[in-house]
Amino acid sequence: MTTPDAVGRVEAAMVTIRRRQTRRTFAEQAGRADPVQEVLDALEAAGTTPIGVNGVAAALGVDQPRASKLVAAAVTAGLVRREADQADGRRTNLVLTDAGREQLDAVHDHRRRRFATAMTGWTELEQENFAQLLTRFVAALEH
């Protein structure tokens, strides 16, 4: 059973994380300030599932015209390319370029360094427990 105090502390912590640790903030801190970072994150999250502009819009929670502008900027920047969908020639899928993958890798490296710094002084067991609990918590939010 959860206690109201614990739930309130989790809520406050999550709000603080959301305010401080946006994707754009991480990209800027990593020296990769780019308004299309969220497009790269959406493509990466899709994994091997083909994704187009509408999929990016859904992943980012924005309307299609906004997603279209972000995708166009990512294409212009050379971070994403458009490919014809082999199953449906009317559709266009988005694919990360090598430059897009390099930017994602740089942002991931920066994020991980920041998280490691935040856990400085934690034992390996504390880090593992935190990772397990946080992962379980995030998974439960999906339901």
Side-chain angles (χ1 to χ4, degrees), residues 65-129:
R66 175 71 180 142
S68 185
K69 287 179 185 177
L70 291 171
V71 167
V75 169
T76 299
L79 303 172
V80 173
R81 72 175 179 274
R82 299 174 193 266
E83 289 185 352
D85 187 316
Q86 298 304 308
D88 183 350
R90 299 169 295 177
R91 291 179 38 100
T92 301
N93 295 323
L94 303 170
V95 179
L96 287 170
T97 63
D98 289 342
R101 172 55 51 203
E102 288 173 16
Q103 179 163 321
L104 269 173
D105 290 346
V107 170
H108 283 306
D109 288 345
H110 176 75
R111 288 173 181 162
R112 289 179 181 137
R113 284 192 307 275
R114 291 281 314 267
F115 297 152
T117 298
M119 291 188 285
T120 296
W122 293 22
T123 67
E124 190 173 319
L125 179 60
E126 289 171 326
Q127 292 177 35
E128 287 298 323
N129 287 340

Side-chain angles (χ1 to χ4, degrees), residues 4-142:
D5 183 48
V7 172
R9 290 192 333 257
V10 168
E11 177 193 16
M14 295 301 290
V15 168
T16 300
I17 288 170
R18 183 169 182 257
R19 287 184 182 146
R20 290 183 187 167
Q21 308 301 324
T22 65
R23 289 178 181 138
R24 185 168 296 166
T25 299
F26 275 126
E28 289 170 357
Q29 292 169 349
R32 304 285 184 166
D34 195 323
V36 299
Q37 182 62 42
E38 291 187 20
V39 173
L40 303 182
D41 288 334
L43 292 177
E44 182 180 51
T48 59
T49 303
I51 185 172
V53 173
N54 288 336
V56 169
L60 301 183
V62 299
D63 60 18
Q64 193 275 340
R66 175 71 180 142
S68 185
K69 287 179 185 177
L70 291 171
V71 167
V75 169
T76 299
L79 303 172
V80 173
R81 72 175 179 274
R82 299 174 193 266
E83 289 185 352
D85 187 316
Q86 298 304 308
D88 183 350
R90 299 169 295 177
R91 291 179 38 100
T92 301
N93 295 323
L94 303 170
V95 179
L96 287 170
T97 63
D98 289 342
R101 172 55 51 203
E102 288 173 16
Q103 179 163 321
L104 269 173
D105 290 346
V107 170
H108 283 306
D109 288 345
H110 176 75
R111 288 173 181 162
R112 289 179 181 137
R113 284 192 307 275
R114 291 281 314 267
F115 297 152
T117 298
M119 291 188 285
T120 296
W122 293 22
T123 67
E124 190 173 319
L125 179 60
E126 289 171 326
Q127 292 177 35
E128 287 298 323
N129 287 340
F130 180 70
Q132 180 183 24
L133 290 170
L134 184 59
T135 301
R136 191 168 120 201
F137 176 78
V138 170
L141 288 175
E142 297 295 319

